[in-house]
Amino acid sequence: LLHRRRRNSNYSINEEVITMTMGERFAVAQTVSIVAGTMCYPIDSVRRRLMMQAGQPVEMRKYANSIHAFRTIFIEEGMRGFY
């Protein structure tokens, strides 16, 4: 998708400028948004779980830190636990 760009012919041959159409820009923006959301959601899920246990005494907490939370969630619930 990114390599199929139109070449703008308003410039001389030596000053060739590559531009993207509005449709290409929209497609790239949607793809980036979906990938970013998919990558960040597990981090946000761990953050929420750590916040929910913040008021408990240390000895009652299920997760010691964020790395421990990632590992525990993955082992106990699999990838579904993050989404």
Side-chain angles (χ1 to χ4, degrees):
L1 177 67
L2 290 175
H3 66 281
R4 295 180 185 170
R5 298 180 187 165
R6 284 189 338 181
R7 299 193 187 281
N8 191 344
S9 61
N10 294 339
Y11 296 94
S12 69
I13 294 173
N14 293 338
E15 297 177 5
E16 190 172 326
V17 175
I18 299 172
T19 60
M20 293 174 61
T21 65
M22 187 61 97
E24 290 172 334
R25 289 179 185 183
F26 180 78
V28 169
Q30 293 304 310
T31 303
V32 168
S33 180
I34 290 169
V35 170
T38 304
M39 299 296 289
C40 291
Y41 203 83
I43 297 168
D44 194 48
S45 295
V46 168
R47 180 187 60 84
R48 270 187 268 117
R49 289 188 186 210
L50 289 171
M51 286 174 45
M52 289 181 64
Q53 73 174 8
Q56 297 175 348
V58 176
E59 54 275 350
M60 291 184 65
R61 294 181 184 175
K62 185 172 183 175
Y63 311 113
N65 53 43
S66 47
I67 294 172
H68 181 250
F70 269 107
R71 186 167 181 238
T72 304
I73 293 167
F74 185 73
I75 290 170
E76 292 180 0
E77 303 175 36
M79 285 303 291
R80 285 185 146 196
F82 296 111
Y83 296 97

